[in-house]
Amino acid sequence: MVPVTDNPASDAPGSETSDPGGPRATDEVVDLVSRLIRFDTSNTGDLATTVGEEECARWVAQQLADVGYETEYVESGQPGRGNVFARLPGADRERGTLLLHTHLDVVPARFEDWSVHPFSGSVKDGYVWGRGAIDMKDMVGMALALARQFRRDGTVPPRDIVFAFLADEEAGGKWGSHWLVENRPDLFEGITEAVGEVGGYSLTVDTPDGSTKRLYLVETAEKGIAWMKLTATATAGHGSFLHENNAVTILAEAVAKLGRHTFPLVMTESVSEFLAAVSEESTLQLDATSPDLETTLFKLGSIARIVGATLRDTANPTMLDAGYKANVIPQTATAVVDCRVLPGRQAQFEAEVDELIGPDVTREWVTKLDSYETTFDGDLVDAMNDAILAFDPDGRTVPYMLSGGTDAKAFAKLGIRCFGFAPLQLPPDLDFAALFHGVDERVPVDGLLFGTRVLEHFLLHS
């Protein structure tokens, strides 16, 4: 790791501090992340079985109240779906407010698959282990540690910062960010820009001169999330008879066509800029017009699974349901398909799907969240790059598109400009992509400390 200083933000232009001699955010961030992981906030997608968010949210609120924040606890449409908001006033109250948003829920984990208990928050071998370590209790811990430090020190940032700790992101935010945007827009009044998860992490590439360089990927775009239900309806009957119209067969054929289909390669601005930056800094030449692009891309390592999925729309069948007895042909058969759609492609995507599934299968959206894309420019982007360079002088920020989705989709509906910037410096050989929702999820301790310092610099220069 590049050597770092303890408190780079204390003399930040546009910020004010009083006696910054108390505990630093880096002193407690590892303990905070470990403690956060020990709250089992598994989001099953079922209101009846999702637990733990309220307990965790109230604990977060207490950590903020302990240093003097006035917090607001909000349940987003259902009991126990806890969200916490706190505002740190800035020097220029007329400027647009910056939102730093995190989510407290995590995807479930099967205990028997892990080498450590997934809710242990174990700190060993240079990592903090557990479900949510990178998605995204690492960022929750960094935000909480910095919020506490700022308040203890009497820090006044250049503009207001709203810290938001949210529920239900892992199930699409229906009972989290989207509910809040639709029912409590007052919570976001004055906010013009937002920073959240899945960005700011490092990708190490080999350079033409034989050295290595770290690129820090800033999320500027997200594919749309569209979970689609397919239904085939035909005539029910006895399993021993001849049946020309069998709902199971009709559905299976449609699902197979859709699952095997390759959608056209579409070059968006975010992906194009990412490919150009990697080509400029590394030994790889990622030519957007090359027929070998996807093959070459995988030389980047595990991150290619994310980037590769942003070259095309995808439609992956995930669930099938039909029948209730071996000798009864059912009247209906259903399937669920996880669709991820590139910005600007929704109409073309739907037309292509309709052609593939045919007239005998109907479709409906179970969940439909729009794609999002912004440009990689402006003062906030400059502040991100400056923060990275302050601690990694050879680093470089580059834009990229996330193949999944975040709460940014909700905030974009309010006209808020959104980015993913949860900085982490990662070991070059760490399979970071595999850790998202994966077994033995963990975050490097050194990466957390680096990220906390970078985030501090960013917040006090943004």
Side-chain angles (χ1 to χ4, degrees):
M1 174 177 288
V2 176
V4 296
T5 58
D6 285 335
N7 188 24
S10 60
D11 61 347
S15 68
E16 300 174 11
T17 60
S18 64
D19 188 16
R24 301 293 86 200
T26 49
D27 295 334
E28 64 175 358
V29 66
V30 173
D31 288 339
L32 287 173
V33 172
S34 175
R35 182 66 183 88
L36 285 158
I37 289 171
R38 295 202 292 274
F39 288 97
D40 181 353
T41 54
S42 297
N43 188 342
T44 64
D46 179 356
L47 290 171
T49 57
T50 295
V51 296
E53 286 173 327
E54 178 178 1
E55 184 184 10
C56 186
R58 292 195 182 279
W59 181 83
V60 167
Q62 187 60 55
Q63 304 311 303
L64 294 168
D66 285 347
V67 293
Y69 281 97
E70 291 186 8
T71 65
E72 183 167 2
Y73 174 85
V74 182
E75 287 195 336
S76 43
Q78 293 292 331
R81 308 318 293 265
N83 306 266
V84 176
F85 292 82
R87 180 181 290 264
L88 181 66
D92 186 352
R93 306 304 302 277
E94 300 301 316
R95 282 189 63 191
T97 298
L98 177 66
L99 172 67
L100 183 62
H101 62 95
T102 66
H103 65 83
L104 300 175
D105 62 321
V106 298
V107 296
R110 288 166 47 99
F111 295 10
E112 60 270 26
D113 295 338
W114 287 57
S115 64
V116 300
H117 192 291
F119 298 104
S120 66
S122 176
V123 182
K124 67 171 189 173
D125 302 329
Y127 288 83
V128 184
W129 298 66
R131 175 59 82 219
I134 62 167
D135 187 12
M136 65 171 302
K137 289 180 176 176
D138 57 341
M139 181 64 163
V140 176
M142 289 192 284
L144 184 56
L146 286 168
R148 283 164 55 84
Q149 175 188 301
F150 292 163
R151 191 70 179 184
R152 282 192 301 260
D153 291 351
T155 298
V156 180
R159 57 168 161 169
D160 284 15
I161 301 172
V162 168
F163 296 92
F165 305 87
L166 307 174
D168 198 38
E169 191 276 344
E170 294 293 358
K174 179 179 179 181
W175 303 113
S177 59
H178 288 275
W179 187 94
L180 293 164
V181 164
E182 292 164 9
N183 295 275
R184 289 294 308 275
D186 57 295
L187 292 168
F188 307 97
E189 188 174 350
I191 293 173
T192 56
E193 295 171 303
V195 170
E197 62 179 326
V198 204
Y201 58 89
S202 64
L203 168 67
T204 302
V205 297
D206 295 323
T207 64
D209 65 6
S211 63
T212 59
K213 188 177 182 73
R214 279 180 291 269
L215 307 179
Y216 292 86
L217 279 58
V218 175
E219 187 216 301
T220 56
E222 299 180 1
K223 295 177 80 173
I225 299 176
W227 296 336
M228 179 172 62
K229 182 179 180 181
L230 302 179
T231 303
T233 303
T235 304
H238 199 288
S240 67
F241 296 167
L242 295 175
H243 289 270
E244 293 183 3
N245 294 311
N246 183 315
V248 176
T249 303
I250 294 168
L251 180 75
E253 289 173 343
V255 169
K257 281 184 181 179
L258 193 56
R260 293 194 183 104
H261 181 67
T262 300
F263 289 87
L265 189 148
V266 177
M267 195 55 56
T268 58
E269 182 177 352
S270 296
V271 174
S272 179
E273 288 187 38
F274 170 80
L275 298 178
V278 173
S279 298
E280 183 179 333
E281 299 288 356
S282 77
T283 57
L284 297 177
Q285 293 304 304
L286 300 174
D287 182 356
T289 64
S290 170
D292 298 324
L293 172 61
E294 287 163 295
T295 301
T296 306
L297 189 65
F298 273 86
K299 294 179 182 179
L300 282 174
S302 65
I303 196 65
R305 293 201 293 275
I306 295 176
V307 178
T310 62
L311 299 176
R312 307 173 188 273
D313 302 326
T314 57
N316 289 312
T318 55
M319 300 173 70
L320 291 168
D321 185 37
Y324 54 90
K325 198 171 185 294
N327 62 347
V328 177
I329 293 175
Q331 185 174 7
T332 62
T334 62
V336 175
V337 183
D338 185 348
C339 306
R340 307 294 173 123
V341 186
L342 291 168
R345 275 276 304 170
Q346 188 66 38
Q348 299 97 313
F349 174 80
E350 292 185 24
E352 209 162 332
V353 166
D354 289 341
E355 185 176 349
L356 287 165
I357 64 177
D360 297 325
V361 175
T362 61
R363 61 172 173 83
E364 59 181 302
W365 299 118
V366 179
T367 295
K368 186 172 179 290
L369 302 174
D370 292 338
S371 59
Y372 174 77
E373 187 168 27
T374 188
T375 52
F376 188 62
D377 56 17
D379 291 343
L380 203 66
V381 168
D382 291 342
M384 294 177 198
N385 193 60
D386 290 345
I388 290 293
L389 292 178
F391 300 105
D392 188 350
D394 294 324
R396 175 180 172 181
T397 55
V398 299
Y400 90 111
M401 179 185 294
L402 181 65
S403 58
T406 74
D407 285 328
K409 294 182 183 300
F411 305 133
K413 292 190 290 188
L414 295 175
I416 298 171
R417 192 180 185 205
C418 300
F419 296 89
F421 188 67
L424 289 174
Q425 190 177 92
L426 302 172
D429 57 350
L430 181 66
D431 190 349
F432 188 60
L435 297 178
F436 282 92
H437 299 185
V439 172
D440 284 344
E441 185 180 349
R442 59 198 183 276
V443 63
V445 168
D446 284 349
L448 268 179
L449 299 178
F450 173 88
T452 303
R453 293 177 176 114
V454 169
L455 194 60
E456 177 186 12
H457 188 288
F458 166 71
L459 291 174
L460 296 183
H461 291 76
S462 61

